[in-house]
Protein backbone atom coordinates (compact mmCIF):
# COMPACT_ATOMS: atom_id res chain seq x y z
CA UNK A 1 0.00 0.00 0.00
CA UNK A 2 1.20 3.50 -0.82
CA UNK A 3 1.45 5.44 2.41
CA UNK A 4 3.60 8.37 1.30
CA UNK A 5 3.39 11.23 3.77
CA UNK A 6 5.34 14.09 5.26
CA UNK A 7 6.55 13.50 8.78
CA UNK A 8 8.30 16.80 9.43
CA UNK A 9 8.83 19.98 7.45
CA UNK A 10 10.88 23.07 8.27
CA UNK A 11 12.31 25.80 6.02
CA UNK A 12 15.61 23.90 6.03
CA UNK A 13 14.59 20.27 5.68
CA UNK A 14 11.72 17.90 5.17
CA UNK A 15 11.22 14.31 6.22
CA UNK A 16 8.78 12.00 4.47
CA UNK A 17 8.14 8.28 4.25
CA UNK A 18 6.54 5.89 1.82
CA UNK A 19 6.09 3.34 4.59
CA UNK A 20 7.58 -0.12 4.86
CA UNK A 21 9.26 -1.04 1.55
CA UNK A 22 8.54 -4.73 2.21
CA UNK A 23 4.84 -4.02 1.66
CA UNK A 24 5.08 -0.97 -0.63
CA UNK A 25 2.96 -1.17 -3.80
CA UNK A 26 2.49 1.08 -6.79
CA UNK A 27 4.22 4.42 -7.24
CA UNK A 28 4.93 7.31 -4.89
CA UNK A 29 6.36 10.67 -5.98
CA UNK A 30 8.38 12.56 -3.39
CA UNK A 31 9.14 16.00 -4.89
CA UNK A 32 5.98 17.71 -3.73
CA UNK A 33 6.07 16.03 -0.33
CA UNK A 34 9.53 17.29 0.55
CA UNK A 35 9.60 20.45 -1.55
CA UNK A 36 12.56 19.42 -3.70
CA UNK A 37 13.57 22.09 -6.23
CA UNK A 38 16.03 20.25 -8.46
CA UNK A 39 14.89 16.66 -8.79
CA UNK A 40 11.90 14.37 -8.78
CA UNK A 41 12.28 11.13 -6.87
CA UNK A 42 9.82 8.29 -6.88
CA UNK A 43 9.51 4.85 -5.35
CA UNK A 44 8.06 2.20 -7.59
CA UNK A 45 7.01 -1.41 -7.13
CA UNK A 46 5.94 -3.90 -9.78
CA UNK A 47 4.38 -7.25 -8.86
CA UNK A 48 5.70 -10.47 -10.41
CA UNK A 49 4.86 -10.40 -14.11
CA UNK A 50 3.74 -6.78 -13.99
CA UNK A 51 5.17 -4.06 -16.25
CA UNK A 52 4.81 -0.30 -16.37
CA UNK A 53 1.78 -0.01 -18.71
CA UNK A 54 3.49 2.32 -21.19
CA UNK A 55 6.82 3.20 -22.79
CA UNK A 56 8.00 6.76 -22.29
CA UNK A 57 10.78 9.26 -22.95
CA UNK A 58 11.53 12.63 -21.40
CA UNK A 59 11.93 16.14 -22.78
CA UNK A 60 14.95 17.23 -20.74
CA UNK A 61 15.33 15.03 -17.67
CA UNK A 62 17.62 12.04 -17.34
CA UNK A 63 16.61 9.28 -14.95
CA UNK A 64 18.63 7.11 -12.62
CA UNK A 65 16.89 3.95 -11.46
CA UNK A 66 18.20 2.21 -8.36
CA UNK A 67 16.89 -1.31 -7.87
CA UNK A 68 16.32 -2.12 -4.21
CA UNK A 69 14.95 -5.65 -4.50
CA UNK A 70 13.60 -8.16 -6.97
CA UNK A 71 14.56 -8.92 -10.54
CA UNK A 72 13.54 -6.98 -13.59
CA UNK A 73 14.11 -6.09 -17.20
CA UNK A 74 14.47 -2.58 -18.57
CA UNK A 75 13.58 -2.23 -22.23
CA UNK A 76 15.74 0.65 -23.50
CA UNK A 77 15.22 1.62 -27.16
CA UNK A 78 14.21 -2.00 -27.75
CA UNK A 79 17.17 -3.57 -25.94
CA UNK A 80 16.44 -5.65 -22.84
CA UNK A 81 18.71 -5.09 -19.83
CA UNK A 82 18.48 -7.36 -16.78
CA UNK A 83 18.56 -5.75 -13.34
CA UNK A 84 18.52 -6.98 -9.77
CA UNK A 85 19.03 -5.63 -6.27
CA UNK A 86 21.89 -3.13 -6.37
CA UNK A 87 21.61 -2.35 -10.08
CA UNK A 88 21.63 1.27 -11.18
CA UNK A 89 20.50 2.34 -14.64
CA UNK A 90 21.00 5.86 -16.01
CA UNK A 91 18.76 6.69 -18.95
CA UNK A 92 19.16 9.73 -21.24
CA UNK A 93 15.99 11.74 -21.92
CA UNK A 94 15.58 10.57 -25.54
CA UNK A 95 15.72 6.85 -24.79
CA UNK A 96 12.39 5.01 -24.87
CA UNK A 97 11.97 2.98 -21.70
CA UNK A 98 9.76 0.48 -19.94
CA UNK A 99 10.29 -1.74 -16.89
CA UNK A 100 9.00 -5.23 -16.12
CA UNK A 101 9.25 -7.45 -13.04
CA UNK A 102 10.51 -10.89 -14.04
CA UNK A 103 11.16 -12.48 -10.64
CA UNK A 104 8.75 -14.11 -8.22
CA UNK A 105 8.89 -11.23 -5.74
CA UNK A 106 8.08 -7.56 -6.41
CA UNK A 107 10.63 -5.38 -8.19
CA UNK A 108 11.15 -2.34 -5.94
CA UNK A 109 13.13 0.65 -7.17
CA UNK A 110 13.83 4.33 -6.76
CA UNK A 111 13.83 6.66 -9.76
CA UNK A 112 15.69 9.98 -9.54
CA UNK A 113 14.86 12.44 -12.30
CA UNK A 114 16.87 15.62 -12.92
CA UNK A 115 17.66 17.93 -15.82
CA UNK A 116 20.38 16.39 -17.99
CA UNK A 117 23.62 18.38 -17.76
CA UNK A 118 22.45 20.56 -14.88
CA UNK A 119 24.78 19.32 -12.15
CA UNK A 120 27.60 21.83 -11.74
CA UNK A 121 29.21 20.74 -8.47
CA UNK A 122 29.00 17.55 -6.45
CA UNK A 123 30.61 15.62 -3.61
CA UNK A 124 33.92 17.33 -2.74
CA UNK A 125 33.46 20.31 -5.07
CA UNK A 126 30.11 21.16 -3.50
CA UNK A 127 30.48 19.79 0.02
CA UNK A 128 31.67 22.06 2.81
CA UNK A 129 33.42 20.14 5.57
CA UNK A 130 32.62 21.78 8.90
CA UNK A 131 34.99 19.99 11.28
ZN1 LIG B 1 10.32 8.85 -16.60
Amino acid sequence: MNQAKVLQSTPGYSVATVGNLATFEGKAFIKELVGSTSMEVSFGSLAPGQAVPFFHKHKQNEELYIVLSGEGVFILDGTEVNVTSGSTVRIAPSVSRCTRCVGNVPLVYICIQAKEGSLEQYTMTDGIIEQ
Side-chain angles (χ1 to χ4, degrees):
M1 187 158 72
N2 183 343
Q3 300 177 327
K5 63 182 176 186
V6 177
L7 300 176
Q8 190 176 0
S9 184
T10 76
Y13 62 90
S14 302
V15 181
T17 183
V18 297
N20 187 340
L21 289 179
T23 57
F24 177 80
E25 294 179 359
K27 189 86 167 170
F29 291 93
I30 303 302
K31 178 187 180 301
E32 300 296 332
L33 284 179
V34 298
S36 173
T37 64
S38 62
M39 70 190 95
E40 173 65 283
V41 177
S42 62
F43 287 78
S45 177
L46 295 169
Q50 185 182 19
V52 174
F54 53 84
F55 281 79
H56 77 286
K57 300 178 179 181
H58 278 269
K59 296 174 183 171
Q60 62 179 17
N61 294 344
E62 64 181 358
E63 291 182 320
L64 180 70
Y65 288 81
I66 302 169
V67 177
L68 301 175
S69 61
E71 297 172 40
V73 171
F74 279 69
I75 303 104
L76 306 171
D77 277 346
T79 299
E80 295 197 354
V81 176
N82 294 309
V83 298
T84 189
S85 177
S87 298
T88 61
V89 183
R90 180 263 173 186
I91 307 173
S94 65
V95 172
S96 175
R97 69 208 67 179
C98 191
T99 309
R100 185 172 68 235
C101 176
V102 298
N104 52 22
V105 297
L107 177 70
V108 181
Y109 57 91
I110 293 170
C111 180
I112 301 169
Q113 183 184 128
K115 185 177 180 180
E116 185 178 51
S118 66
L119 189 62
E120 296 178 353
Q121 304 184 121
Y122 52 95
T123 314
M124 294 308 289
T125 56
D126 194 66
I128 302 169
I129 306 300
E130 295 191 293
Q131 292 184 20

